Amino acid sequence: MARLVDVPGYTRFWTASAVSAFGSQISGLALQILTAVTLSASATEVGLVNAARWAPYLLFGLVAGVLVDRCRRKPVMVAMDFGRAALLGAIPLLYALDRLGIATLCACVFAFGVLCLFFDAANHSYVPQLVPRELLNAGYARVGQADAAAGSTGPLIAGVLIRLIGAPLAVLVDAVSYLVSGLLLTSVRAHDPVPDRGARRSLLTELREGVAWVYRHRILASIALTSHLMLLFNTVVSTVFVVFALRELKIGDFGLGVTYACAGLGGVLGGAFSERVARRFDVGVTLIAGRVVAAVGWLPLVLAQSGPWALVSVSLAFFVVSLAISVESPVEMSYRQAVTPDRLRGRMNATIRSFNWGMVAVGAPLGGLLADRISYRFALWVGLSGAVLQALLLAGSRTRKARATDDFEPLVPA
């Protein structure tokens, strides 16, 4: 079997992904500190800045999929990387000129979210053009490992940078990472055909076609719908976790760092095992088992009590959940690409991703509301129960029959 390192362009593609992933972790923390501390924002203003980041996925996600399917994927990714570098570079400049306020920051973050949306739609659809089908799972797993490594070490690096050079300049580091990523992607040579212009129809027609492909497909429909539920309930848990861990479990800032580091370790190990699991088990079995383990994995967190074992409990929960998702996610991603025609991949990816992030936008305030009105632990139980429910729904669907050898599946009749 061929190896990923032998695939022309993959090493540069992976390096670009890894560089931008580390940069994103730095700017993620730096923007929070810039908003809350440097600009002295209220809690509502912090929420508005965070909402501005994900709002484009709700507003333009489906349209982005149509537009990406009308273009070559690599030029879109390169343009979005350079655009993101310019936008993030403008933030420290505006701050230095004393022109950076909450409204201006929201506008920059919103525009940044738009560029991320188009990049993601093109990026996920480009991998099957770069990597042979038999290496798709491995290709996505390696990218997932880089993201997990960035997630575990990036915040630590960000903390040091922010202390040394301040939050505004730390954002500039991420701008440089996108510039490097764009230059690396420019040098990637892979089959990237120009879509047939003669096959174009109205934007609304193509949008409906992409949505129909996902939600009328006999396998993709159940995968997509349950993934939306998984993101919804996992967000409920992750939103409540920080306050619960600090106020009730009292594990402190160091404990939070240890917990996230364990999550990153689980992600790296999960990505390493994903390919082996995919070779041994069918796609359906892998997806269902991964979702079940990820759902039940929250149990140590929900049952955790203040005391010497609190940190062990929450760290174990995040390790197991991250491990299971990192095993399952590359298998799901490669299967989605394999059973979707190339002309529909951008719309398929954008459709699923848009509704996934839409559930994040719903789950965060829902978790906070449940925690404030009832209790932290009640909110955590709701999140765990919902996660188990979506796993059981997936297990009872046609997904259990999914195979790695499946090709373009026919749609369920309307």
Side-chain angles (χ1 to χ4, degrees):
M1 180 181 291
R3 299 179 302 167
L4 281 173
V5 293
D6 299 324
V7 176
Y10 182 79
T11 299
R12 293 186 182 186
F13 173 84
W14 180 88
T15 303
S17 298
V19 168
S20 61
F22 274 94
S24 296
Q25 291 294 327
I26 293 172
S27 67
L29 182 59
L31 285 173
Q32 292 183 51
I33 294 177
L34 175 63
T35 305
V37 179
T38 308
L39 298 181
S40 301
S42 66
T44 300
E45 289 171 331
V46 171
L48 288 174
V49 173
N50 289 336
R53 169 65 176 85
W54 302 112
Y57 286 84
L58 287 173
L59 297 175
F60 313 123
L62 300 180
V63 175
V66 175
L67 297 180
V68 164
D69 277 339
R70 293 181 173 185
C71 307
R72 294 172 59 221
R73 277 67 183 262
K74 192 181 83 170
V76 172
M77 293 189 294
V78 172
M80 297 305 103
D81 264 347
F82 289 159
R84 290 188 289 185
L87 270 173
L88 291 181
I91 291 176
L93 177 61
L94 289 169
Y95 176 77
L97 297 174
D98 198 24
R99 296 293 181 89
L100 186 66
I102 296 300
T104 306
L105 184 59
C106 281
C108 290
V109 171
F110 181 85
F112 177 76
V114 172
L115 298 181
C116 289
L117 165 64
F118 279 89
F119 180 90
D120 290 342
N123 180 64
H124 291 158
S125 305
Y126 184 68
V127 176
Q129 297 174 189
L130 180 66
V131 177
R133 175 167 177 163
E134 64 271 15
L135 292 177
L136 266 181
N137 184 77
Y140 284 117
R142 297 299 170 267
V143 173
Q145 283 179 296
D147 290 341
S152 61
T153 60
L156 299 177
I157 298 173
V160 173
L161 280 175
I162 292 169
R163 178 168 296 182
L164 291 176
I165 62 178
L169 286 180
V171 174
L172 188 60
V173 174
D174 192 17
V176 173
S177 77
Y178 284 121
L179 180 62
V180 172
S181 174
L183 292 173
L184 285 169
L185 290 174
T186 301
S187 65
V188 173
R189 297 289 181 265
H191 181 62
D192 190 16
V194 179
D196 182 11
R197 292 177 178 268
R200 288 184 184 178
R201 289 160 293 167
S202 71
L203 188 145
L204 184 58
T205 299
E206 293 190 15
L207 187 152
R208 288 175 175 172
E209 185 181 17
V211 173
W213 179 261
V214 173
Y215 296 110
R216 286 174 49 205
H217 192 284
R218 73 182 188 91
I219 301 293
L220 287 184
S222 55
I223 292 177
L225 290 171
T226 54
S227 71
H228 302 337
L229 288 176
M230 179 179 69
L231 264 293
L232 171 66
F233 291 108
N234 279 0
T235 302
V236 169
V237 174
S238 61
T239 299
V240 178
F241 163 69
V242 174
V243 184
F244 174 70
L246 293 176
R247 294 183 181 176
E248 290 202 6
L249 300 184
K250 303 185 184 305
I251 65 173
D253 295 340
F254 175 75
L256 287 179
V258 171
T259 301
Y260 290 134
C262 288
L265 177 61
V268 172
L269 292 177
F273 288 121
S274 180
E275 187 178 359
R276 298 180 183 178
V277 172
R279 285 201 301 262
R280 183 167 183 177
F281 301 100
D282 286 328
V283 169
V285 173
T286 303
L287 296 184
I288 293 169
R291 296 280 189 92
V292 170
V293 173
V296 178
W298 288 123
L299 196 58
L301 166 61
V302 178
L303 297 177
Q305 300 290 333
S306 179
W309 291 99
L311 180 57
V312 175
S313 297
V314 298
S315 297
L316 175 63
F318 272 80
F319 174 83
V320 171
V321 172
S322 184
L323 175 71
I325 291 176
S326 296
V327 170
E328 175 263 344
S329 184
V331 177
E332 176 187 330
M333 182 64 72
S334 59
Y335 182 81
R336 280 163 41 184
Q337 313 307 318
V339 299
T340 302
D342 182 69
R343 67 181 184 84
L344 285 167
R345 282 185 183 135
R347 280 168 281 176
M348 178 273 295
N349 287 316
T351 297
I352 295 177
R353 194 172 181 85
S354 296
F355 286 106
N356 276 349
W357 288 119
M359 292 300 101
V360 171
V362 173
L366 175 62
L369 184 63
L370 290 173
D372 288 337
R373 295 295 178 88
I374 305 178
S375 71
Y376 297 131
R377 204 173 296 276
F378 177 81
L380 293 174
W381 274 114
V382 170
L384 185 149
S385 301
V388 171
L389 174 63
Q390 64 81 25
L392 294 177
L393 289 174
L394 186 68
S397 71
R398 295 180 178 179
T399 302
R400 64 183 183 278
K401 299 179 181 179
R403 303 288 186 270
T405 54
D406 290 347
D407 208 334
F408 301 159
E409 294 281 347
L411 293 180
V412 175

